[in-house]
Coordinates of all heavy atoms in Angstrom, one line a residue:
I1009 N 0.7 -34.9 10.3 CA 1.1 -33.6 10.7 C 2.7 -33.6 10.8 O 3.2 -34.4 11.5 CB 0.5 -33.2 12.1 CG1 -1.0 -33.2 12.0 CG2 1.1 -31.9 12.6 CD1 -1.6 -32.2 11.1
P1010 N 3.3 -32.7 10.1 CA 2.8 -31.7 9.2 C 2.3 -32.2 7.9 O 2.8 -33.3 7.4 CB 3.9 -30.7 9.0 CG 5.1 -31.6 9.0 CD 4.8 -32.6 10.1
L1011 N 1.3 -31.5 7.3 CA 0.9 -31.8 6.0 C 1.9 -31.3 5.0 O 2.2 -30.1 5.0 CB -0.5 -31.2 5.7 CG -1.1 -31.4 4.3 CD1 -1.4 -32.9 4.0 CD2 -2.4 -30.6 4.2
E1035 N -3.8 -18.4 10.1 CA -4.3 -19.3 11.1 C -3.5 -20.6 11.1 O -3.6 -21.5 12.0 CB -5.8 -19.7 10.8 CG -6.0 -20.5 9.5 CD -6.1 -19.7 8.3 OE1 -5.7 -18.5 8.3 OE2 -6.4 -20.2 7.2
L1036 N -2.6 -20.8 10.1 CA -1.8 -21.9 10.0 C -0.3 -21.6 10.2 O 0.1 -20.4 10.0 CB -1.9 -22.6 8.6 CG -3.3 -23.1 8.2 CD1 -3.2 -23.5 6.7 CD2 -3.7 -24.2 9.0
R1037 N 0.4 -22.5 10.7 CA 1.9 -22.4 10.8 C 2.5 -23.1 9.6 O 2.4 -24.3 9.5 CB 2.4 -23.0 12.1 CG 3.9 -22.8 12.4 CD 4.3 -23.3 13.7 NE 5.7 -23.4 13.9 CZ 6.3 -23.8 15.0 NH1 5.6 -24.2 16.0 NH2 7.6 -23.9 15.1
I1038 N 3.1 -22.3 8.8 CA 3.6 -22.8 7.5 C 5.2 -22.7 7.4 O 5.7 -21.6 7.6 CB 3.0 -22.1 6.3 CG1 1.5 -22.2 6.4 CG2 3.5 -22.8 5.0 CD1 0.7 -21.4 5.4
E1039 N 5.9 -23.7 7.1 CA 7.3 -23.7 6.9 C 7.6 -24.1 5.5 O 6.7 -24.7 4.8 CB 8.0 -24.6 7.9 CG 7.9 -24.1 9.4 CD 8.7 -24.9 10.3 OE1 9.1 -26.1 10.0 OE2 9.0 -24.5 11.4
L1047 N 5.3 -27.2 4.4 CA 4.9 -28.0 5.6 C 3.9 -27.2 6.4 O 4.2 -26.1 6.9 CB 6.1 -28.3 6.4 CG 7.3 -29.1 5.7 CD1 8.4 -28.1 5.3 CD2 7.8 -30.2 6.5
I1048 N 2.7 -27.7 6.4 CA 1.6 -27.0 7.0 C 1.2 -27.7 8.3 O 0.9 -28.9 8.4 CB 0.4 -26.9 6.1 CG1 0.8 -26.2 4.8 CG2 -0.8 -26.2 6.7 CD1 -0.3 -26.2 3.7
M1049 N 1.2 -26.9 9.4 CA 0.9 -27.5 10.8 C -0.3 -26.7 11.4 O -0.5 -25.5 11.1 CB 2.1 -27.3 11.6 CG 3.3 -28.2 11.2 SD 4.9 -27.6 11.7 CE 5.2 -26.4 10.4
S1050 N -1.1 -27.5 12.1 CA -2.2 -26.9 12.8 C -1.7 -26.2 14.1 O -0.6 -26.4 14.6 CB -3.2 -28.0 13.2 OG -2.6 -28.9 14.1
P1051 N -2.6 -25.4 14.7 CA -2.3 -24.8 16.0 C -2.0 -25.9 17.1 O -2.5 -27.0 16.9 CB -3.5 -24.0 16.4 CG -4.2 -23.7 15.1 CD -3.9 -24.9 14.2
R1094 N 12.0 -21.6 8.4 CA 11.7 -22.4 9.6 C 11.2 -21.4 10.7 O 11.6 -20.2 10.7 CB 12.9 -23.2 10.0 CG 13.4 -24.2 9.1 CD 12.3 -25.3 8.9 NE 12.8 -26.4 8.1 CZ 12.1 -27.5 7.8 NH1 10.9 -27.6 8.2 NH2 12.7 -28.5 7.0
D1133 N 4.2 -34.8 16.9 CA 5.4 -34.7 16.2 C 6.3 -35.9 16.1 O 6.7 -36.4 17.2 CB 6.3 -33.6 16.8 CG 5.7 -32.2 16.6 OD1 5.0 -32.0 15.6 OD2 6.0 -31.3 17.5
M1137 N 11.6 -36.4 12.7 CA 11.4 -35.2 11.9 C 12.1 -34.0 12.6 O 12.7 -33.2 12.0 CB 9.9 -34.9 11.7 CG 9.6 -33.6 10.9 SD 7.9 -33.1 11.0 CE 7.8 -32.5 12.7
K1141 N 15.3 -31.6 11.6 CA 15.3 -30.1 11.6 C 16.5 -29.6 12.4 O 17.1 -28.6 12.0 CB 14.0 -29.6 12.2 CG 12.8 -29.7 11.3 CD 11.5 -29.2 12.0 CE 11.5 -27.7 12.2 NZ 10.2 -27.2 12.7

Side-chain angles (χ1 to χ4, degrees):
I1009 300 297
L1011 177 64
E1035 70 278 9
L1036 299 173
R1037 181 174 170 184
I1038 306 172
E1039 297 184 340
L1047 301 101
I1048 301 177
M1049 292 155 279
S1050 63
R1094 297 295 188 180
D1133 290 333
M1137 178 193 74
K1141 286 179 69 173

